[in-house]
Structures are given as C-alpha cells and as structure tokens.
Amino acid sequence: MSDVPADALERIEELRRRMEEEGEPVADAVAAGSLDGELVLEQRMRLVGRPGSAWYAVPSDEDWMHDALADEASVAGTLYASDEPFPLGAAAVTGYFQADGDGRWARVVAGRAEVGEGGAGWRAHLEDFPEVVAQFEECMRVSEYRHAAEQAAMKLLASGG
C-alpha cells in the first residue's frame, strides 16, 4: 500500500479502529481475505469527500463510515473491480465507480478516487480511460474472448437493443 497517500492510510486506520469498536471482524478479515468470506466483482458504494480534497469509496450500507470521513459530498453508485475480485464490504478497493445519477465514471485506487474538476476525476464513458481500452484491445486478440463479444453483440442486435 505504498502508493496510498498518508492521509488515506490515517483514515483507513481510523475506520479499522471504529470497526473494532463496533465488533466487526477486522483482525480475521485480512487472514481470511474477506470481511465475510465472499469475494465480489462489484459492490454498491458511495464516493464521499469534500470539494477540493480526496474522495473515498465507502460501502453504501456503512453509514458510520460516512460519518467518520466527515464527508460534505456523496455520490451513490456501483464500484466494479478492475481485475481481481475484492472482499464484500471492503472500502480500500481498486476499480471503476459509476455514478447512479448521471452514469459518469471515476477511477478508484485503494479506495481513493483521483481529484479533478467537479470532484472525483469524472469521465463520461468507461472507454475514456486509456487503460480500459488497452485491456479491451488485448482481450480481443484472444479468439475465445472475441467470439464471446461477437455473440453478445449479435444477441443485442437480435433483441433490438
């Protein structure tokens, strides 16, 4: 976690302390690889923060985390894992967050979204992230992936979507 800024580590440690106070299984979570043993590729989250500062991913059902972060702004949505699944209920996750309200996307690394104009470095489309396009192009070089994508596109066309 050396890529994580010091203030994020302090906030994560504060959240860990609060979880222990509330009786959450913090110590065993790391050993188990998951807060409750389940790994997921997507999770309902909120990006919370203050204008002009970092934004943090917080599981939607963890209201006490919102309070601990003293957020002034909150955006509901879904965080999708970029590669590997992450523990259900985890906050320090890496992936792409899509806002419910307007469908915008933000990159989240170790639970923190990059800061940009209007908050969390928002992009209109997932394809606006060069690393996503590069990964897609790499996948399309593999015939099995390309075949699956072609089948999905054909089904979409056949359904009128």
Side-chain angles (χ1 to χ4, degrees):
M1 288 201 355
S2 60
D3 297 16
V4 181
D7 68 325
L9 292 175
E10 291 170 11
R11 286 177 177 251
I12 291 168
E13 184 56 34
E14 174 64 22
L15 292 174
R16 183 181 310 280
R17 280 194 300 273
R18 287 181 182 250
M19 287 177 73
E20 287 175 346
E21 290 169 8
E22 295 293 323
E24 297 288 336
V26 176
D28 295 336
V30 175
S34 171
L35 294 178
D36 68 357
E38 184 179 354
L39 295 176
V40 295
L41 291 169
E42 64 184 68
Q43 177 173 279
R44 294 291 302 154
M45 303 281 269
R46 288 185 175 276
L47 282 186
V48 298
R50 292 180 291 266
S53 70
W55 287 62
Y56 295 90
V58 175
S60 291
D61 58 349
E62 299 292 345
D63 289 335
W64 64 270
M65 284 187 188
H66 300 263
D67 298 339
L69 290 169
D71 56 300
E72 292 179 12
S74 177
V75 178
T78 302
L79 190 131
Y80 299 92
S82 54
D83 286 321
E84 297 296 321
F86 52 85
L88 180 65
V93 296
T94 297
Y96 296 90
F97 177 88
Q98 185 176 31
D100 287 344
D102 57 13
R104 296 179 299 165
W105 292 86
R107 173 84 170 129
V108 176
V109 177
R112 182 180 172 151
E114 64 184 66
V115 177
E117 286 185 32
W122 296 105
R123 304 285 195 319
H125 306 282
L126 187 58
E127 299 82 20
D128 293 340
F129 294 95
E131 65 274 13
V132 171
V133 173
Q135 189 175 32
F136 174 76
E137 289 172 350
E138 184 177 324
C139 287
M140 288 300 104
R141 288 188 211 116
V142 177
S143 63
E144 291 86 0
Y145 292 138
R146 189 176 54 252
H147 180 70
E150 289 167 350
Q151 281 186 321
M154 295 301 286
K155 285 180 183 177
L156 184 63
L157 289 172
S159 70

